[in-house]
Amino acid sequence: MKRQLNFFAALATVMGTMIGGGAFFKIANISSLTHNAWLSILVWPLAGFITLMAGLSIAELASVYPEDGGPVKYLEKIYGPQVSFLFGWSLIIIYYPANIAALSIVFATQLKEIPQFKNCSTTLIALLVMLTVLVINWLGSKLSSQVQKIALVIKLLPIIAIIIFALFYQGPNQLAGAPSPHLTTASSTAAFGQALLAVLFAYDGWLSIGNLASEIKNPAKTLAQAIIWGLFGVTIFYTLLNWSYVKVIPWNQVVGNQSAALLTAQKLFGHLGGTIIAAGILVSVFGAINGHLLLGSRMPYVLGREKKLPASNFFGKLNNQTIVPTNSMLFECIIATIMIFSGTFDSLTDMLVYVSWIFSILLFTGVFALRKKHPDLERPYKIPWYPLPPILAICGALFVVITTTLTQPILAIIGILLTLSGWPVYLYVQKKNKQLE
């Protein structure tokens, strides 16, 4: 593939993939879990801090191995092919299609807030928006990256507008009488852990930028810069945006309400202004779907190209006209279609974050292993304040994984079983490859 993506394209992909449905809709789930306005705000910078520590750690791996496959390649270099394949398998059958499906459901739900679409089928809208994104990506990575840039600019407009107008809002400050945050019992701590898991979905997506390594100019430096600046910017935006919701509208209209962002916009800008902001939110979600398909389709392509999947020739093939992995795109969208019919936004996102952070723990510990095994390896980027960032990232990830396992055991079991289903696939492919040698 051609190296045609610069720093801004990489940054737009990192931020554009992250900023999507979570920014506008996770407040409903979080407020229902914490039952406290201040905790519902504080969980955002905490999740941002954990993710930033993760980003500082992974950026070193990205600079050392600026290759297609991103985190899957990092795991292969550190732990070997078995572990890396299971991670790649989980990305292919859970992570990317679940993101595409969940965000398509969110897009449909938000579109139905517009009166003209109120009676339309949520499932049908979700399928149509996913098909539209598929067509855009089918036409080439240059077009899909341009869409990502435009979507990032447009999606930042409603966020910045809500934040600025909330800062100068003259109406009653709903936070003025809010009770102080507290975690006094085991159940409240567990609920906060679930809220943290929910928020981490909104920060998700940045890790996959490594999938575009062969298409990025000067990837060793560009990947690290895009990850760090993207995470830092998103953390600021998310914290201020969710503070705006809780400040402007009454707490009882925030808890469990998927339309909290729309209500805030209507309160700040009136009905017409709220409709314009709602359109910006739709663009935001659309851009996130585009980003996940852009990045996600590269994973089965890379594994197929390296003969690590059944039907490798199918997955490892590029479109002759547009030079993009259209077969892999189609496969991811087929799985996402199944998920659209079978899952809900919160259940899909919780599962993908849970599985992702299990492997993230291996990546963070891999930083230590790599420094010990290969201390003289060239590192264009080195983790600042080492070893603190990877240690903090490991602690945050362990808290999320352990809390989720205890509070949502069925979700955890399903996620783990789906991941382990890749083991017989790996053994089959290995046996087949040996027979062909």
Side-chain angles (χ1 to χ4, degrees):
M1 297 188 191
K2 295 181 180 179
R3 293 195 184 278
Q4 55 188 347
L5 305 180
N6 57 18
F7 167 73
F8 184 69
L11 181 67
T13 302
V14 170
M15 295 184 71
T17 305
M18 290 170 67
I19 301 175
F24 304 103
F25 302 101
K26 274 298 181 181
I27 187 66
N29 187 22
I30 293 157
S31 57
S32 298
L33 289 166
T34 63
H35 299 290
N36 182 279
W38 284 110
L39 284 178
S40 296
I41 297 171
L42 291 173
V43 72
W44 290 90
L46 176 59
F49 177 76
I50 293 171
T51 310
L52 186 58
M53 293 301 102
L56 290 171
S57 306
I58 299 301
E60 179 169 302
L61 297 178
S63 72
V64 173
Y65 302 119
E67 307 170 26
D68 281 352
V72 172
K73 278 295 178 185
Y74 314 153
L75 286 177
E76 182 178 0
K77 298 287 186 180
I78 300 167
Y79 299 107
Q82 297 93 337
V83 174
S84 70
F85 178 82
L86 286 179
F87 186 33
W89 179 257
S90 73
L91 293 174
I92 291 170
I93 67 166
I94 301 175
Y95 182 84
Y96 290 118
N99 261 306
I100 294 166
L103 290 167
S104 297
I105 292 169
V106 162
F107 184 96
T109 304
Q110 181 65 20
L111 187 65
K112 289 182 68 174
E113 294 291 333
I114 300 174
Q116 291 87 336
F117 297 94
K118 190 172 184 179
N119 296 321
C120 294
S121 165
T122 301
T123 302
L124 180 60
I125 296 172
L127 291 173
L128 287 174
V129 70
M130 183 182 68
L131 179 62
T132 303
V133 172
L134 174 61
V135 171
I136 290 171
N137 280 267
W138 201 287
L139 295 175
S141 61
K142 192 170 184 179
L143 175 60
S144 55
S145 66
Q146 288 295 332
V147 169
Q148 203 66 9
K149 292 178 188 177
I150 295 168
L152 176 61
V153 173
I154 294 176
K155 73 172 61 180
L156 287 178
L157 292 177
I159 293 175
I160 293 171
I162 289 174
I163 290 170
I164 291 175
F165 276 76
L167 283 169
F168 297 99
Y169 180 61
Q170 297 299 312
N173 183 349
Q174 304 296 336
L175 275 169
S180 59
H182 58 277
L183 295 172
T184 55
T185 64
S187 60
S188 63
T189 303
F192 187 76
Q194 288 180 269
L196 186 60
L197 175 74
V199 171
L200 284 170
F201 165 72
Y203 284 96
D204 205 50
W206 60 272
L207 186 57
S208 300
I209 186 63
N211 294 1
L212 295 177
S214 68
E215 299 169 69
I216 293 174
K217 299 174 183 177
N218 192 14
K221 290 186 178 180
T222 303
L223 284 172
Q225 292 172 351
I227 289 170
I228 294 166
W229 286 109
L231 287 173
F232 183 71
V234 168
T235 299
I236 293 172
F237 281 130
Y238 278 172
T239 303
L240 292 175
L241 181 64
N242 284 271
W243 166 82
S244 301
Y245 301 151
V246 181
K247 178 191 177 184
V248 172
I249 61 176
W251 177 241
N252 62 355
Q253 293 181 24
V254 175
V255 179
N257 187 359
Q258 293 275 9
S259 300
L262 181 61
L263 287 175
T264 304
Q266 289 173 344
K267 194 87 169 180
L268 293 172
F269 311 108
H271 184 73
L272 178 60
T275 302
I276 295 172
I277 295 297
I281 293 172
L282 287 172
V283 173
S284 172
V285 178
F286 186 88
I289 301 169
N290 180 71
H292 281 293
L293 184 57
L294 171 66
L295 297 170
S297 61
R298 271 57 179 176
M299 184 52 59
Y301 162 72
V302 170
L303 293 181
R305 188 185 63 189
E306 297 177 353
K307 306 298 181 184
K308 293 178 180 178
L309 286 175
S312 289
N313 291 336
F314 174 83
F315 290 110
K317 184 179 179 182
L318 294 175
N319 186 288
N320 292 330
Q321 281 74 41
T322 57
I323 320 298
V324 292
T326 47
N327 290 345
S328 294
M329 289 179 192
L330 188 61
F331 181 75
E332 291 300 289
C333 285
I334 289 172
I335 300 177
T337 299
I338 297 170
M339 290 181 168
I340 287 173
F341 281 102
S342 61
T344 63
F345 174 61
D346 288 322
S347 63
L348 288 171
T349 55
D350 283 354
M351 184 186 298
L352 70 89
V353 171
Y354 175 74
V355 173
S356 174
W357 279 87
I358 290 176
F359 284 101
S360 292
I361 293 171
L362 294 177
L363 286 168
F364 305 146
T365 55
V367 173
F368 296 104
L370 195 65
R371 285 212 177 190
K372 185 175 181 179
K373 288 167 60 178
H374 303 288
D376 299 324
L377 197 65
E378 183 181 352
R379 292 172 170 82
Y381 161 87
K382 286 188 176 181
I383 302 170
W385 312 298
Y386 180 86
L388 193 59
I391 290 173
L392 292 173
I394 291 169
C395 292
L398 283 172
F399 176 74
V400 170
V401 170
I402 293 170
T403 302
T404 306
T405 304
L406 295 175
T407 57
Q408 302 183 68
I410 294 176
L411 177 144
I413 290 170
I414 293 173
I416 291 171
L417 288 178
L418 284 173
T419 301
L420 292 178
S421 69
W423 183 245
V425 176
Y426 174 81
L427 295 177
Y428 167 77
V429 173
Q430 289 293 105
K431 183 178 179 181
K432 185 180 178 182
N433 289 341
K434 285 182 179 179
Q435 290 173 350
L436 295 174
E437 290 178 356

